[in-house]
Amino acid sequence: MTTSEPLTGLTVTKLCCVRGERQVFRDLSFHVAPGDMLSLVGPNGSGKSSLLRQLAGLLEVTDGEINLDGAGEDQTVADVVLYAGHLDAVKAPLRVSENLSFWAAFYGVSATQVEPALEAFSLGHLGHLPAGVLSAGQKRRLGLSRLALIDRPLWLLDEPTVSLDTASIAALGDLMRSHLKTGGSIIAATHVDLGLEGTRVLDLSSNGGASL
Amino acid sequence: MTTSEPLTGLTVTKLCCVRGERQVFRDLSFHVAPGDMLSLVGPNGSGKSSLLRQLAGLLEVTDGEINLDGAGEDQTVADVVLYAGHLDAVKAPLRVSENLSFWAAFYGVSATQVEPALEAFSLGHLGHLPAGVLSAGQKRRLGLSRLALIDRPLWLLDEPTVSLDTASIAALGDLMRSHLKTGGSIIAATHVDLGLEGTRVLDLSSNGGASL
Amino acid sequence: MNAFFALVQREVRLATRVGGGGGMAVFFFLIVLSIVPFGIGPDLNLLTRIAPGMLWVALLLSALLTLDRLFQADQEDGTLDLLVLAPQPLELTVLAKAVSHWLTTGLPLVIAAPILGLMLNLPLDGMLPLMGAMLIGSPALSLLGAVGAALSVGVRRGGLLISLLVLPFYVPVLIFGVSASRAALVAVPGDLGGQSLALLGAVSLASLVVGPVGGAAALRVAVK
Amino acid sequence: MNAFFALVQREVRLATRVGGGGGMAVFFFLIVLSIVPFGIGPDLNLLTRIAPGMLWVALLLSALLTLDRLFQADQEDGTLDLLVLAPQPLELTVLAKAVSHWLTTGLPLVIAAPILGLMLNLPLDGMLPLMGAMLIGSPALSLLGAVGAALSVGVRRGGLLISLLVLPFYVPVLIFGVSASRAALVAVPGDLGGQSLALLGAVSLASLVVGPVGGAAALRVAVK
Amino acid sequence: MDSWTEFFNMGGYGPYIWSSFLIAIAVMTGLALQSWMDLKKQKRLVSELEARAERKRS
Amino acid sequence: MAWSIHTYANPTRFMNFSAIVLPYVWALAGAGIGIGLYLSFFVAPPDYQQGDSVRIMFVHVPSAWLSQFGYGIMVVSSIVALIFRHPLADVAAKSAAPIGAVFTFLALVAGGLWGKPMWGTYWVWDARTTSTLVLLFIYLGYMALWAMIEDPNRAARVAAVLAIVGAVNLPIIRFSVDWWNTLHQPASVFRLDGPTIHSSLLWPLFVVALGFTFFFIGVLMVRMRAEILRRKVRTLQMQQAAA
Ligand code: HEM
Ligand SMILES: Nc1ncnc2c1ncn2[C@@H]1O[C@H](COP(=O)(O)OP(=O)(O)OP(=O)(O)O)[C@@H](O)[C@H]1O
Ligand SMILES: Nc1ncnc2c1ncn2[C@@H]1O[C@H](COP(=O)(O)OP(=O)(O)OP(=O)(O)O)[C@@H](O)[C@H]1O
Ligand SMILES: [Mg+2]
Ligand SMILES: [Mg+2]
């Protein structure tokens, strides 16, 4: 649990996003401090996923700036960010526990963290099953259990609640709450209310994008 | 709009589902009449998707029976059912309208129906775009627009609201309401409330499945 | 029938839009053929001697390389479920798939064959019979390949598996195809070209039945 | 380094669990080699003469057939995003991918080569040098292939595209590989085997740099 | 003694004949053994699992 | 659970039946092979053309026959499995494949060892040798398909389709001799005008072949028993994991 240095904030200034020649949003500015939760809302196509990918460094920044306030000289976005997109990055032929163990090893987390991370989403008893037989929601939970495994200050979540049942949504809420409490920040795109206190909302529908 | 004969009902008797040697549910019996909406609920892994695939004939029926009451001699489940699963069956390189036109031709629907079907989910102005550039919700809407295109009495929907924004959920609700009003039936698995009047709920968590 | 053509049209459109359609297949064919001389040395006599065989082996390989996505892509994005549930008989759907596969790999190669023949120093007047043999034999590759592709739906690393399943069935096509082409090109005394051609046609006709029926049976099992 | 081995282990495990690992590659290799005689006729002298070339061409092809899923599968299920975002340098990730590809295709073929040689009537005492040449040359195939696989991430029908991108780069491997093998097998007077072998080694070493660096650069672009 | 050497020599074809017979015997024995051991293993697994199920029930 | 009856009623009967007959099958196999070996070394005379090397025939020809016999079993069981859904049929098909593959391998090896003295090389690319090699590939492809599909029920059905489609290849193997220039012996035992092999070689050949056939049946039964138990193990494991 030592990979992450505390991040004192993320500042986004006049960020623009152009995809396929079309302006998705422009002049987006906001600041996220430790302990902040920012909820991205807006109709389909307003650019929530695009913004998250830009923040993660997975999409070209057309114009504007993204700054990590507390980051060291040689620290890149990738050292600070944990990204969970639409896809779960789960390999069907590997067992549930093997899937997570791999990410532990690859992100330099001790193997002893795997069990607790699975438990965070009540997947412990499914550990020996091949991931291919999981139901949609179980697979999603396996993807999300990386949040409990890898320690990064800034979480970028793209519709994390998709396919989850009520119990799992509550588990995700707990995990997010404790992440915020320990000084982490979260930016999450979602169409449903996660019921987290003090959530700030960024509505992308009004941000100058072509009205798609 | 003549492919479908009116279905007088679907009767399921003592249906069992075994996947990978594990019992998912057993002895499931219910009846769906024209105009009925049945909502499948239950935690992740309780067998909602499996039940829908069994009803569509896309998964082996281990034991029990599925009967179409009003179906003619030579009518199979496939003639009656419209299935919309987790995946959208959208081809990224084809334009939005081409995607839907293909399904129209393949299911024997007149090409003039394509425009209105796209409009049902406000996709009309995106028709010329390659489907690959759609956002998650837009892609989902394209998949769902098949419901407005193809006329079948029984809809089987697996978490249709995933990724949809509020406006699109409302549009889906309208479509479902009018389908029910014209004597259609719907069986839908979902974790969120669709706000349709007179919905019956089938809770799979209590149906003898191993508690996964 | 409408549904059949709609599927063929869609498949061909998909192939042209993302893979340059037939152009890609021809290009691959060309590269394989130009690699061979590096492998066996630049002896032109030897090359001419094995040219008909090389043409057919390259034809098989380019068919194989494109087969693995035939149904797999549809399964991964959910299209396959809808194809199986459609009112159109699954046999026709498989046939449409095989036809589009042939239109985007087999046919372009037949048309390009003379150019390749020229590169391998084949006699010009044998070109038409050669193209005829390829035209008659290549549909069998797509039709038999469709069975292999359907069998390996849902299997990861399907590409290699398809090769294993399908190549044994390609053997008769290869034997008759090569002997018909050789008769056309090298003018074997006591020419057997006609007979091989007839057998090649018979194989193609047989696979016109085996392909759709076997493919549909395999798909029905594979979606479940 | 831990991350490196974790990735190699995962890849090999995936390959064995779903594709029978190296067995499948050997099997494919065997089939291609036994298909060729059908194409060019059963003349054993001729076959022996072109045997080294065929071995290498078959090696290239089985590498090609497995390359297209190298990064594509990871992109389709979202794994690639996470690999790019991980603390491990992307170059090492690409190297790990190439190493696992080699472990599941190149290495098994090297080991199986003697059996294939026997079927092609190659002299027994040339087997070890042949295996040596394949051992030295085959890593280049996986390393260079990784660049092609990275370049074609996100492109449908990537399989053919990769072939087009990669085959030209395989030519030097093929030339030196074949001439080294031929020297070993046919004992060419004024033996050039040593020199070819050295050049082959040089190509492999060069691709040890080109592969990871080029592959990582291509991936960085492809994810965005 | 001489007749035995002659017998093993098989008119000069000895190596081919003996190796073909020996390989056949070895491979067939191997197949039978492997099948038999697999059967043993499955029997053992079944009884283990049934015992465990029994224990759970009681 | 109703489905368990469907799955086990017949296999149980098979388990009982096979337990009873297996010893006799083994005895017949042992006798056939034992006597056959004796006959082939001490009774059968050297061939007037091929000398002692003709003795390889006693391994080669029965193996070649059984390689095709095995595929026949696979095809018949697959048809039964697909059409009648008999729960034993796909077990039989799956179990027959490795045995058939082994005999195909033996036919190849013995043929190769026979070829060196007769043709001067271990391997020729003629029609029958090559088609036997292709048969081995089909066996291996069939086994690969089983191995690569996790769920046995699905694997059974997919593999059955392959086996049936692959049956097309059996006549090809037989007739390929006529299509392709060939070195290999044409049919000399089973032909319309009677065998052309001398009877002093012929009847030891039949004794060995009979022994091999019983061996095949014995191993098939053992493998089927193991396969039935393996599925039972899988079911029990999954049920206990779920509980
Ligand atoms: C690797 C090489 C060989 C292979 C793969 C092979 C394969 C076969 C096969 C498949 C058969 C069964 C044909 C049938 O009845 O359907 C057969 C039969 C036979 N083979 Fe071979 N063979 C090989 C080499 C040889 C050699 C070198 C000889 C002897 C010079 C030989 C002599 C025979 C004879 C006498 C029969 C019995 C023919 C009959 O009664 O039908 N084989 N072989
Ligand atoms: N291919 C498969 N092989 C074996 N078991 C499977 C397979 N697919 C699903 N299962 C199992 O079947 C059970 C039911 O899965 P199903 O997808 O029907 O659940 P669900 O109710 O739709 O859940 P969710 O809300 O997560 O979508 C799960 O326990 C799952 O692990
Ligand atoms: N690869 C692409 N090329 C071109 N345009 C794209 C591409 N991907 C997305 N777009 C466009 O960018 C816009 C924003 O897409 P994005 O996925 O960010 O929306 P979103 O807010 O996440 O929507 P949703 O709620 O549906 O997930 C959309 O109009 C979409 O059409
Ligand atoms: Mg989105
Ligand atoms: Mg589900």
Side-chain angles (χ1 to χ4, degrees):
Chain A
M1 291 294 209
T2 52
T3 38
S4 71
E5 289 177 41
L7 174 83
T8 55
L10 171 86
T11 312
V12 169
T13 348
K14 297 207 156 221
L15 191 66
C16 291
C17 175
V18 176
R19 300 199 75 165
E21 321 288 308
R22 285 167 316 129
Q23 178 112 39
V24 178
F25 55 75
R26 69 157 172 268
D27 293 340
L28 210 60
S29 303
F30 59 87
H31 176 81
V32 177
D36 270 7
M37 153 95 191
L38 184 68
S39 180
L40 304 180
V41 299
N44 296 143
S46 55
K48 302 179 294 297
S49 303
S50 305
L51 173 57
L52 288 172
R53 287 187 74 86
Q54 280 186 327
L55 294 176
L58 292 173
L59 184 64
E60 209 85 46
V61 172
T62 333
D63 204 9
E65 266 182 44
I66 302 173
N67 287 307
L68 298 170
D69 307 344
E73 279 287 279
D74 53 348
Q75 230 178 351
T76 62
V77 188
D79 297 321
V80 176
V81 146
L82 195 51
Y83 171 78
H86 283 295
L87 300 163
D88 295 317
V90 163
K91 292 287 176 195
L94 298 183
R95 293 177 197 291
V96 168
S97 55
E98 283 171 346
N99 262 291
L100 207 57
S101 307
F102 164 70
W103 289 114
F106 202 73
Y107 273 80
V109 174
S110 146
T112 54
Q113 304 291 329
V114 171
E115 262 311 299
L118 283 177
E119 263 331 317
F121 284 97
S122 330
L123 288 169
H125 64 297
L126 299 179
H128 64 285
L129 286 182
V133 312
L134 296 184
S135 77
Q138 290 166 340
K139 190 162 155 263
R140 187 85 188 147
R141 276 146 63 187
L142 176 53
L144 289 175
S145 64
R146 273 192 298 272
L147 297 175
L149 179 76
I150 301 165
D151 186 32
R152 291 278 187 287
L154 178 60
W155 289 1
L156 303 176
L157 312 180
D158 200 351
E159 307 200 42
T161 58
V162 160
S163 297
L164 295 187
D165 57 16
T166 15
S168 311
I169 294 186
L172 176 65
D174 290 346
L175 199 65
M176 289 169 74
R177 213 166 281 126
S178 85
H179 179 66
L180 294 173
K181 206 165 288 166
T182 55
S185 320
I186 302 178
I187 305 180
T190 170
H191 294 291
V192 300
D193 189 19
L194 275 162
L196 290 173
E197 310 75 28
T199 300
R200 279 163 48 212
V201 172
L202 179 65
D203 191 342
L204 284 176
S205 54
S206 54
N207 255 78
S211 63
L212 283 175
Chain B
M1 289 295 207
T2 52
T3 39
S4 71
E5 291 176 40
L7 174 83
T8 56
L10 171 86
T11 312
V12 169
T13 347
K14 298 207 153 221
L15 192 66
C16 292
C17 175
V18 175
R19 299 199 76 166
E21 321 290 307
R22 285 168 312 134
Q23 180 112 40
V24 178
F25 54 76
R26 71 157 172 265
D27 294 339
L28 211 60
S29 302
F30 59 86
H31 176 81
V32 176
D36 271 7
M37 154 95 192
L38 184 68
S39 180
L40 304 179
V41 300
N44 296 144
S46 54
K48 301 179 293 298
S49 304
S50 305
L51 173 58
L52 289 172
R53 288 187 75 84
Q54 281 187 326
L55 294 177
L58 293 172
L59 184 65
E60 205 87 43
V61 172
T62 332
D63 203 11
E65 266 182 43
I66 302 173
N67 287 306
L68 297 171
D69 306 344
E73 280 285 279
D74 52 346
Q75 231 178 351
T76 63
V77 187
D79 298 321
V80 176
V81 146
L82 195 52
Y83 172 78
H86 283 297
L87 300 162
D88 295 317
V90 163
K91 292 287 176 193
L94 299 183
R95 294 177 198 291
V96 169
S97 56
E98 284 170 345
N99 262 292
L100 208 57
S101 307
F102 164 70
W103 289 115
F106 202 73
Y107 272 79
V109 174
S110 145
T112 54
Q113 305 290 330
V114 172
E115 260 313 300
L118 284 176
E119 259 334 314
F121 284 97
S122 333
L123 287 169
H125 63 297
L126 298 178
H128 64 285
L129 286 182
V133 310
L134 295 185
S135 78
Q138 291 166 339
K139 191 160 152 265
R140 188 85 188 146
R141 277 147 61 187
L142 175 54
L144 289 175
S145 64
R146 271 191 300 273
L147 297 176
L149 179 75
I150 302 166
D151 186 32
R152 289 278 188 287
L154 177 61
W155 289 2
L156 304 175
L157 312 180
D158 203 350
E159 307 200 41
T161 58
V162 159
S163 296
L164 295 186
D165 55 18
T166 12
S168 312
I169 294 187
L172 176 64
D174 290 345
L175 199 64
M176 290 169 75
R177 214 166 282 126
S178 83
H179 178 65
L180 294 174
K181 206 164 288 165
T182 54
S185 319
I186 302 177
I187 304 180
T190 169
H191 293 291
V192 300
D193 189 21
L194 275 162
L196 290 174
E197 311 75 29
T199 301
R200 278 161 51 210
V201 172
L202 179 66
D203 191 343
L204 284 175
S205 53
S206 53
N207 254 78
S211 63
L212 280 176
Chain C
M1 235 33 219
N2 229 336
F4 180 87
F5 289 118
L7 185 52
V8 171
Q9 185 197 25
R10 186 189 77 145
E11 291 291 309
V12 172
R13 194 176 270 165
L14 273 172
T16 24
R17 214 158 284 172
V18 293
M24 196 77 116
V26 171
F27 200 9
F28 170 77
F29 198 53
L30 241 144
I31 291 201
V32 167
L33 287 184
S34 39
I35 275 250
V36 170
F38 289 112
I40 63 177
D43 176 347
L44 201 56
N45 277 333
L46 179 60
L47 281 177
T48 307
R49 187 160 151 219
I50 65 173
M54 290 320 313
L55 277 173
W56 276 92
V57 170
L59 185 60
L60 295 201
L61 289 173
S62 59
L64 272 185
L65 266 175
T66 41
L67 271 176
D68 70 326
R69 303 301 291 164
L70 195 62
F71 295 110
Q72 190 71 45
D74 283 342
Q75 204 236 3
E76 282 164 10
D77 67 12
T79 303
L80 193 60
D81 291 339
L82 294 176
L83 291 181
V84 171
L85 281 179
Q88 147 130 320
L90 199 51
E91 284 76 12
L92 268 185
T93 303
V94 174
L95 183 64
K97 281 277 189 174
V99 167
S100 0
H101 182 259
W102 181 75
L103 286 175
T104 50
T105 55
L107 186 61
L109 294 189
V110 173
I111 295 170
I115 310 170
L116 306 165
L118 229 58
M119 285 170 52
L120 295 168
N121 201 29
L122 294 181
L124 273 177
D125 51 348
M127 253 11 141
L128 262 181
L130 172 70
M131 285 173 76
M134 289 175 76
L135 196 65
I136 292 173
S138 54
L141 301 181
S142 298
L143 287 160
L144 293 173
V147 182
L151 282 170
S152 57
V153 157
V155 178
R156 260 120 219 286
R157 299 236 297 177
L160 274 186
L161 184 66
I162 290 180
S163 321
L164 305 183
L165 298 181
V166 158
L167 273 176
F169 295 94
Y170 279 2
V171 167
V173 183
L174 191 57
I175 293 181
F176 300 137
V178 170
S179 80
S181 318
R182 186 168 293 141
L185 293 169
V186 196
V188 181
D191 173 31
L192 287 158
Q195 197 200 332
S196 305
L197 217 58
L199 285 169
L200 195 60
V203 173
S204 269
L205 281 179
S207 28
L208 199 61
V209 179
V210 173
V213 173
L219 275 189
R220 277 204 194 88
V221 168
V223 272
K224 288 209 172 157
Chain D
M1 235 32 220
N2 228 338
F4 179 87
F5 289 117
L7 186 53
V8 170
Q9 185 196 26
R10 186 189 77 143
E11 291 289 310
V12 172
R13 194 177 271 166
L14 273 172
T16 27
R17 209 153 292 170
V18 294
M24 202 68 125
V26 171
F27 195 7
F28 171 78
F29 197 52
L30 242 142
I31 290 201
V32 169
L33 286 184
S34 34
I35 277 274
V36 171
F38 285 111
I40 63 176
D43 177 347
L44 201 57
N45 278 333
L46 178 61
L47 284 174
T48 306
R49 187 159 151 218
I50 64 173
M54 272 167 53
L55 277 173
W56 277 92
V57 170
L59 185 61
L60 295 201
L61 287 172
S62 59
L64 274 185
L65 263 175
T66 41
L67 271 176
D68 70 327
R69 303 301 290 164
L70 195 63
F71 295 110
Q72 189 74 45
D74 283 342
Q75 203 237 5
E76 282 165 11
D77 68 10
T79 302
L80 192 59
D81 290 340
L82 294 175
L83 290 181
V84 171
L85 281 179
Q88 146 131 321
L90 200 49
E91 284 75 13
L92 267 186
T93 302
V94 174
L95 183 63
K97 281 278 190 174
V99 167
S100 4
H101 181 259
W102 182 76
L103 285 176
T104 50
T105 56
L107 185 61
L109 295 189
V110 173
I111 295 170
I115 308 171
L116 305 164
L118 221 62
M119 288 174 58
L120 296 168
N121 204 28
L122 296 180
L124 273 174
D125 50 348
M127 252 12 139
L128 262 181
L130 172 69
M131 284 172 78
M134 288 175 77
L135 196 64
I136 292 173
S138 54
L141 301 181
S142 297
L143 288 160
L144 293 172
V147 183
L151 281 171
S152 61
V153 157
V155 179
R156 259 122 220 284
R157 299 235 297 179
L160 274 185
L161 184 64
I162 291 181
S163 317
L164 301 183
L165 294 177
V166 160
L167 272 177
F169 294 96
Y170 279 1
V171 169
V173 183
L174 190 59
I175 293 179
F176 300 136
V178 170
S179 80
S181 318
R182 186 168 292 142
L185 292 168
V186 196
V188 181
D191 173 32
L192 288 157
Q195 196 198 334
S196 307
L197 218 56
L199 286 168
L200 196 60
V203 172
S204 269
L205 281 179
S207 32
L208 200 60
V209 179
V210 173
V213 173
L219 275 189
R220 278 201 195 90
V221 172
V223 210
K224 291 208 172 161
Chain E
M1 244 25 254
D2 211 32
S3 71
W4 278 110
T5 2
E6 207 174 285
F7 178 72
F8 282 114
N9 187 35
M10 281 282 165
Y13 297 121
Y16 304 111
I17 298 177
W18 293 119
S19 45
S20 67
F21 276 82
L22 286 181
I23 290 174
I25 290 170
V27 169
M28 285 165 71
T29 320
L31 176 71
L33 270 183
Q34 186 265 333
S35 311
W36 184 70
M37 269 155 45
D38 185 32
L39 178 61
K40 283 266 147 203
K41 187 179 150 205
Q42 302 305 329
K43 275 183 178 160
R44 204 192 63 231
L45 284 175
V46 167
S47 56
E48 273 175 22
L49 285 164
E50 274 174 347
R52 198 183 305 163
E54 202 58 48
R55 242 178 291 133
K56 247 179 213 168
R57 213 167 296 145
S58 58
Chain F
M1 275 178 265
W3 56 273
S4 64
I5 292 172
H6 176 69
T7 322
Y8 284 120
N10 266 310
T12 313
R13 221 183 304 147
F14 172 78
M15 293 299 276
N16 295 335
F17 166 76
S18 58
I20 296 168
V21 297
L22 252 179
Y24 299 100
V25 174
W26 285 130
L28 284 170
I33 295 173
I35 298 173
L37 275 183
Y38 173 78
L39 291 177
S40 43
F41 282 114
F42 300 106
V43 177
D47 189 67
Y48 71 101
Q49 263 185 334
Q50 307 193 339
D52 278 311
S53 77
V54 77
R55 298 189 201 282
I56 296 181
M57 180 174 76
F58 300 116
V59 175
H60 170 68
V61 175
S63 303
W65 286 343
L66 282 177
S67 68
Q68 293 166 42
F69 174 72
Y71 200 87
I73 290 189
M74 247 168 64
V75 173
V76 173
S77 322
S78 298
I79 292 173
V80 174
L82 266 195
I83 297 178
F84 303 106
R85 303 232 160 181
H86 193 288
L88 266 181
D90 65 73
V91 174
K94 184 186 180 188
S95 309
I99 316 175
V102 158
F103 279 113
T104 314
F105 174 76
L106 284 182
L108 283 167
V109 170
L113 286 167
W114 200 356
K116 187 68 184 176
M118 288 300 107
W119 305 332
T121 165
Y122 289 107
W123 183 256
V124 294
W125 289 99
D126 95 320
R128 180 149 287 168
T129 58
T130 314
S131 61
T132 307
L133 187 64
V134 169
L135 181 64
L136 180 63
F137 291 156
I138 296 182
Y139 272 124
L140 294 178
Y142 178 85
M143 286 154 65
L145 195 59
W146 265 103
M148 288 175 75
I149 302 178
E150 171 73 20
D151 176 11
N153 294 314
R154 208 170 83 89
R157 284 172 290 150
V158 176
V161 174
L162 175 66
I164 293 168
V165 175
V168 178
N169 242 62
L170 282 188
I172 292 178
I173 293 175
R174 289 210 73 95
F175 298 126
S176 55
V177 194
D178 309 326
W179 302 334
W180 230 33
N181 48 345
T182 189
L183 265 175
H184 192 280
Q185 212 89 355
S188 42
V189 177
F190 296 116
R191 37 189 293 157
L192 290 177
D193 48 357
T196 52
I197 293 182
H198 195 270
S199 66
S200 60
L201 287 172
L202 193 57
W203 71 268
L205 179 64
F206 276 133
V207 175
V208 180
L210 219 62
F212 272 37
T213 309
F214 279 110
F215 174 86
F216 191 112
I217 295 171
V219 178
L220 180 63
M221 282 184 163
V222 171
R223 294 193 81 92
M224 284 174 69
R225 288 169 67 85
E227 179 63 24
I228 289 170
L229 292 181
R230 190 184 345 270
R231 298 203 184 167
K232 193 168 175 184
V233 167
R234 206 181 123 91
T235 310
L236 289 171
Q237 272 174 345
M238 289 287 194
Q239 283 170 354
Q240 295 192 358

